[in-house]
């Protein structure tokens, strides 16, 4: 195929949006990458799943490892949408008129991750990731719990 197909280009562009290249700081990307293996590790034990449930404010306790592992994808999903709608003005485009995403929503999502110290605790990392995902999942500012309830999965499409 000419030109050669780059299967990782899209994800690289999304990652760049959550870095200094995209107007955030590189701490955003670095800290989000720290969260993903942390979630996987915590998912393996009941104590870890309880910690995930509390820090992520899940709608119900995470009952098993598979459900807890699903948090990784749930945390990753908003970044693509936010990058697609990373406009310099507030927009309802990606939430189909049901509300507004802030101007530069990737930068807004990065704010909680940008501010973490290098020695952030597990709970601080998880809570910052929850707040970042909440820019998309809680654009209405009315969602009180996340993830394992069909009504909190994503904005209306």
């Amino acid at each position: 195929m000419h030109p050669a197909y780059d299967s990782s280009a899209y994800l690289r562009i999304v990652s760049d949006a959550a870095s200094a290249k995209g107007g955030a700081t590189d701490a955003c990307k670095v800290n989000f990458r720290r969260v993903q293996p942390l979630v996987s590790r915590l998912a393996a034990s009941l104590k870890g799943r309880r910690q995930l449930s509390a820090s992520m404010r899940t709608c119900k306790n995470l009952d098993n490892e598979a459900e807890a592992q699903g948090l990784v994808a749930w945390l990753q999903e908003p970044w693509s949408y936010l990058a697609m709608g990373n406009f310099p003005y507030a927009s309802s485009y990606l939430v189909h008129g049901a509300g507004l995403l802030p101007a530069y929503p990737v930068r807004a999502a990065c704010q909680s991750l940008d501010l973490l110290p290098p020695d952030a605790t597990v709970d601080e990392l998880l809570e910052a990731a929850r707040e970042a995902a909440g820019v998309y999942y809680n654009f209405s500012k009315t969602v009180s719990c996340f993830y394992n309830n069909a009504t909190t999965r994503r904005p209306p499409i």
Side-chain angles (χ1 to χ4, degrees), residues 43-113:
S45 72
L46 179 60
K47 181 180 176 185
R49 290 191 296 275
R50 294 298 176 253
Q51 185 173 9
L52 285 169
S53 294
S55 292
M56 300 304 291
R57 286 200 320 239
T58 60
C59 294
K60 62 183 185 76
N61 283 334
L62 299 166
D63 293 328
N64 56 62
E65 185 172 355
E67 185 179 21
Q69 290 287 358
L71 273 173
V72 174
W74 182 86
L75 287 166
Q76 290 171 342
E77 182 177 16
W79 295 97
S80 288
Y81 291 111
L82 296 174
M84 285 187 274
N86 206 27
F87 310 128
Y89 48 85
S91 172
S92 64
Y93 167 62
L94 290 171
V95 294
H96 303 277
L100 287 173
L101 290 175
Y104 293 113
V106 173
R107 292 179 193 175
C110 280
Q111 287 177 345
S112 60
L113 292 160

Side-chain angles (χ1 to χ4, degrees), residues 2-15:
H2 277 341
Y5 175 69
D6 182 355
S7 63
S8 63
Y10 179 74
L11 294 177
R12 194 170 45 256
I13 291 166
V14 171
S15 293

Side-chain angles (χ1 to χ4, degrees), residues 127-147:
E127 290 165 9
R130 181 198 68 224
E131 292 302 312
V135 169
Y136 179 70
Y137 291 124
N138 191 17
F139 68 90
S140 66
K141 309 268 191 270
T142 62
V143 175
S144 60
C145 67
F146 294 99
Y147 179 57

